[in-house]
Amino acid sequence: MKNLRYRRLLSLALLVPAASASSILFEGGTVISFDHTTQTPRVLQNTSILVTDDRISAIFGADEAVTIPSNVERVPVQGKIVSPGFVDTHRHGWQTAYKTLGSNTTLAEYFVRYGEFSQAGTVFTADDVYYGQLAGIYEALNAGVTSILDHAHSTWSPETSSASLNASLDSGIRMWWCYAFHDLTNGFSVQDQIANFQELLQDDRLLQSVVEMGIAYDGFSSASSEEIQSVINLAKNSNISAFTSHFLGGPWFYANSPSLLNSLDFLNTTFPIVLSHASFISAEDAMLLRQTNQYISTTPESELHYGHDHQHSAFIQDQAALGVDTHFTYSTDIITQARLWLQSIRLKFYQQTLNNWEIARNSPMSANQAFLLATRSGGLALRRPDIGVLEVGAKADIVVFDGSSPNMLGWSDPVAAVILHSNVGDVEHVLVDGEWRKRDRQLVLKQNRTEIEQRFLESARRIQDIWMQTPLPDLQGDFQPGVPYATAYSVDVVRGNETGY
Ligand SMILES: *[C@@H]1O[C@H](CO)[C@@H](O)[C@H](O)[C@H]1NC(C)=O
Ligand SMILES: *[C@@H]1O[C@H](CO)[C@@H](O)[C@H](O)[C@H]1NC(C)=O
Ligand SMILES: *[C@@H]1O[C@H](CO)[C@@H](O)[C@H](O)[C@H]1NC(C)=O
Ligand SMILES: *[C@@H]1O[C@H](CO)[C@@H](O)[C@H](O)[C@H]1NC(C)=O
Ligand SMILES: *[C@@H]1O[C@H](CO)[C@@H](O)[C@H](O)[C@H]1NC(C)=O
Ligand SMILES: *[C@@H]1O[C@H](CO)[C@@H](O)[C@H](O)[C@H]1NC(C)=O
Ligand SMILES: CC(=O)N[C@H]1CO[C@H](CO)[C@@H](O)[C@@H]1O
Ligand SMILES: [Zn+2]
């Protein structure tokens, strides 16, 4: 009802032509909108979307009269699915050069070998960070990811920090670029990092861009209270758009938990806080997130791949969005994350009945819910109800799927088609903030893509050579006090001894 009312108001408003506005009309597709009454995706058949500058200005059916500006760019979308752009709420964009190196790594190994405190801090130059960040964002845009919260921990020097921000600004993706403050051994102290961050905040390019500044910090349970307080003060006084922290719990510790943040008077904040993983979150911490409207970022593939697990995050999906995490190890598209999450949640709750020798009569999670996690929930995690949704007034972050590929052909439910049948090859058009980022399956970039990819490949070859020559760490003794390393059962798909890997 609400949407209909908006539409009629808008068709009147459009009688006054907007002189210099740019507009794009997606004509006659199947649009996945949102129904505020039922809080579910709302499918609109044979519907058109008018984009004016950076926002959606009208959504209308074939029988509705809407005045269309004469200079409009018409894009036919008959037979296609028009979806909101996908939102990735947890990523470390600088790591692209490692691609395929971590194919069978574990989280404990990752910390030593690939993370922000590994040799990366001395090996990666500003150029490595720049080209990796940019080439990685190309992959995201190509897959219909239009928004990213980057936990940017390549902040090892003013140069590598600036390079990451530069690539983000140059990419044209919508980003919450969260500068990570961390204790380094190279002399670039947290106080230096704070000064560097404040300098970057003054960058005039931010005013014309779709990049917003945020802070990433993991030190709440490990750093000195002085350091923690200086980061809290900075966050509260810098008009940031997001704050993010890793939170695992259970045997991982790494406990930047909601209750710890709350005890520091740092949970009920005016800006959004996104806690990545929350694998072993307690019921009490989940309640704190609801009370303060803060979100977790579930990264299904990373939590499976590395073994973080997600024991309890499944119970706080009303305050959750999806993320990719380390894109060098697996897929960057949020649809794959949604699909993996959907099927693993189904299994998790089916098992509860099976363990009791009972047979479920219902499915524990629907494709609609997975779709919302991948889109609108990401916007809500960032307190941006105008992101991850197709409705009048929302940001024009739009993805058009070709509905006629061999894998898509025959769909009637567009949400199920996207979540369970699509692949990146079906992403035909991508718009971010009303601007083309992919058109007719080709990326639309400000840079010379060939040149960027050549520079990235040179960087990746250099980085990969160094890592291949670095022996794998020998993980013996304790991961941390009271938590020993152990050997997991490993499978061998060929008969005989020692034929694995
Ligand atoms: C969509 O609307 C157009 C314009 O009114 C009409 O010609 C066409 O038949 C409709 N298509 C479908 C599939 O309903
Ligand atoms: C980032 O871009 C700005 C503006 O072009 C430039 O001054 C700065 O040197 C760049 N940073 C790096 C590390 O190249
Ligand atoms: C705070 O940042 C937002 C954009 O994120 C901007 O619109 C607003 O003007 C800023 N406020 C101040 C006081 O700088
Ligand atoms: C959070 O802060 C707001 C505004 O200061 C206040 O109204 C609200 O009660 C607080 N909520 C909690 C759970 O502390
Ligand atoms: C893009 O870069 C490549 C490689 O440097 C070059 O061969 C090509 O001419 C460039 N294209 C344009 C349009 O500048
Ligand atoms: C595997 O190795 C163990 C001892 O190392 C040996 O006892 C066993 O027979 C071997 N099994 C096979 C299938 O070769
Ligand atoms: C790419 C990679 O890291 N491969 C490793 C997978 O695990 C085996 C066993 O630990 C290693 O030998 C490989 O190097
Ligand atoms: Zn992470």
Side-chain angles (χ1 to χ4, degrees):
M1 286 308 289
K2 212 172 171 187
N3 276 356
L4 282 178
R5 204 167 65 238
Y6 278 138
R7 279 193 233 158
R8 306 231 184 274
L9 281 175
L10 236 123
S11 44
L12 290 176
L14 280 175
L15 293 174
V16 185
S20 62
S22 81
S23 51
I24 303 173
L25 179 65
F26 293 97
E27 282 186 293
T30 298
V31 172
I32 308 176
S33 185
F34 183 72
D35 186 324
H36 286 270
T37 310
T38 59
Q39 297 280 302
T40 53
R42 178 176 183 202
V43 175
L44 306 168
Q45 306 286 355
N46 206 7
T47 291
S48 300
I49 296 189
L50 182 64
V51 171
T52 307
D53 292 334
D54 58 328
R55 295 203 182 256
I56 294 171
S57 53
I59 299 182
F60 54 97
D63 57 338
E64 287 172 85
V66 167
T67 305
I68 306 300
S70 54
N71 64 341
V72 76
E73 189 177 356
R74 290 173 185 269
V75 183
V77 289
Q78 284 87 359
K80 302 184 196 297
I81 297 169
V82 188
S83 163
F86 297 89
V87 183
D88 174 356
T89 56
H90 183 66
R91 178 177 166 104
H92 308 291
W94 61 270
Q95 297 177 325
T96 320
Y98 290 145
K99 189 166 283 188
T100 68
L101 286 192
S103 65
N104 57 15
T105 193
T106 68
L107 189 55
E109 183 180 273
Y110 167 90
F111 287 139
V112 183
R113 191 167 163 84
Y114 303 107
E116 68 199 281
F117 302 114
S118 72
Q119 64 175 339
T122 55
V123 174
F124 275 67
T125 64
D127 275 358
D128 292 321
V129 170
Y130 181 86
Y131 292 109
Q133 178 84 354
L134 198 50
I137 293 173
Y138 289 176
E139 187 193 359
L141 285 170
N142 190 50
V145 177
T146 52
S147 288
I148 291 177
L149 185 161
D150 199 331
H151 182 134
H153 52 25
S154 62
T155 46
W156 303 296
S157 69
E159 292 72 33
T160 56
S161 307
S162 161
S164 167
L165 179 58
N166 281 359
S168 306
L169 284 163
D170 291 350
S171 72
I173 206 162
R174 188 181 298 288
M175 182 174 285
W176 287 259
W177 187 76
C178 296
Y179 189 117
F181 298 105
H182 43 189
D183 283 315
L184 302 169
T185 51
N186 67 359
F188 187 50
S189 69
V190 169
Q191 289 314 312
D192 297 337
Q193 294 160 32
I194 289 176
N196 182 217
F197 172 75
Q198 286 173 320
E199 197 177 310
L200 294 176
L201 270 182
Q202 304 307 314
D203 196 320
D204 284 342
R205 290 173 300 169
L206 288 165
L207 301 170
Q208 329 303 334
S209 80
V210 285
V211 176
E212 300 199 23
M213 296 288 270
I215 290 176
Y217 185 62
D218 287 343
F220 290 106
S221 67
S222 55
S224 69
S225 53
E226 257 173 302
E227 180 187 302
I228 294 167
Q229 208 50 55
S230 64
V231 171
I232 288 180
N233 291 343
L234 180 73
K236 287 187 173 172
N237 298 323
S238 302
N239 189 30
I240 53 170
S241 300
F243 188 100
T244 192
S245 193
H246 286 104
F247 164 44
L248 292 173
W252 297 109
F253 299 13
Y254 228 59
N256 301 297
S257 66
S259 41
L260 178 57
L261 270 60
N262 201 37
S263 73
L264 296 163
D265 190 24
F266 193 67
L267 191 64
N268 191 23
T269 46
T270 52
F271 43 81
I273 296 180
V274 177
L275 298 175
S276 40
H277 314 305
S279 301
F280 294 88
I281 190 170
S282 69
E284 187 185 5
D285 275 344
M287 182 189 70
L288 279 172
L289 294 180
R290 292 189 179 105
Q291 286 173 346
T292 53
N293 191 29
Q294 304 293 16
Y295 276 66
I296 66 166
S297 174
T298 289
T299 64
E301 197 164 6
S302 118
E303 292 158 11
L304 294 165
H305 181 110
Y306 290 101
H308 309 51
D309 201 351
H310 22 242
Q311 283 279 315
H312 297 122
S313 46
F315 296 106
I316 176 78
Q317 293 193 60
D318 51 321
Q319 295 290 140
L322 294 176
V324 167
D325 202 359
T326 64
H327 62 293
F328 72 95
T329 40
Y330 41 69
S331 5
T332 280
D333 63 302
I334 287 292
I335 294 167
T336 298
Q337 304 309 320
R339 186 177 303 162
L340 280 168
W341 183 244
L342 172 65
Q343 305 297 29
S344 50
I345 289 304
R346 284 174 172 169
L347 176 62
K348 179 186 176 78
F349 292 112
Y350 279 138
Q351 277 173 339
Q352 294 188 352
T353 51
L354 290 169
N355 288 343
N356 291 338
W357 282 13
E358 294 165 344
I359 299 300
R361 62 169 65 86
N362 61 303
S363 176
M365 184 170 176
S366 68
N368 274 350
Q369 295 194 328
F371 183 81
L372 290 179
L373 279 182
T375 53
R376 185 166 181 269
S377 301
L380 295 181
L382 291 153
R383 300 198 181 158
R384 291 292 303 266
D386 60 340
I387 284 171
V389 67
L390 296 182
E391 63 187 6
V392 171
K395 281 287 188 181
D397 294 355
I398 298 176
V399 176
V400 177
F401 290 85
D402 175 6
S404 64
S405 63
N407 47 296
M408 294 286 264
L409 197 67
W411 58 272
S412 53
D413 174 353
V415 173
V418 166
I419 291 294
L420 293 167
H421 297 275
S422 78
N423 63 52
V424 172
D426 302 314
V427 174
E428 197 170 330
H429 307 307
V430 178
L431 228 60
V432 177
D433 210 47
E435 290 193 20
W436 291 104
R437 291 287 165 254
K438 186 179 186 185
R439 188 159 191 184
D440 300 323
R441 293 194 170 81
Q442 294 298 316
L443 287 173
V444 179
L445 303 169
K446 292 175 204 153
Q447 306 81 31
N448 176 339
R449 177 175 163 190
T450 313
E451 197 178 310
I452 298 288
E453 289 182 346
Q454 280 174 4
R455 298 292 300 271
F456 164 71
L457 280 176
E458 287 162 21
S459 159
R461 282 190 203 108
R462 185 183 81 84
I463 299 288
Q464 297 200 6
D465 280 349
I466 295 171
W467 259 258
M468 308 276 210
Q469 284 161 30
T470 305
L472 294 171
D474 187 17
L475 303 173
Q476 299 297 336
D478 286 349
F479 171 69
Q480 58 198 343
V483 183
Y485 289 113
T487 304
Y489 177 84
S490 61
V491 304
D492 186 348
V493 303
V494 180
R495 277 188 215 168
N497 280 351
E498 308 294 332
T499 51
Y501 285 102

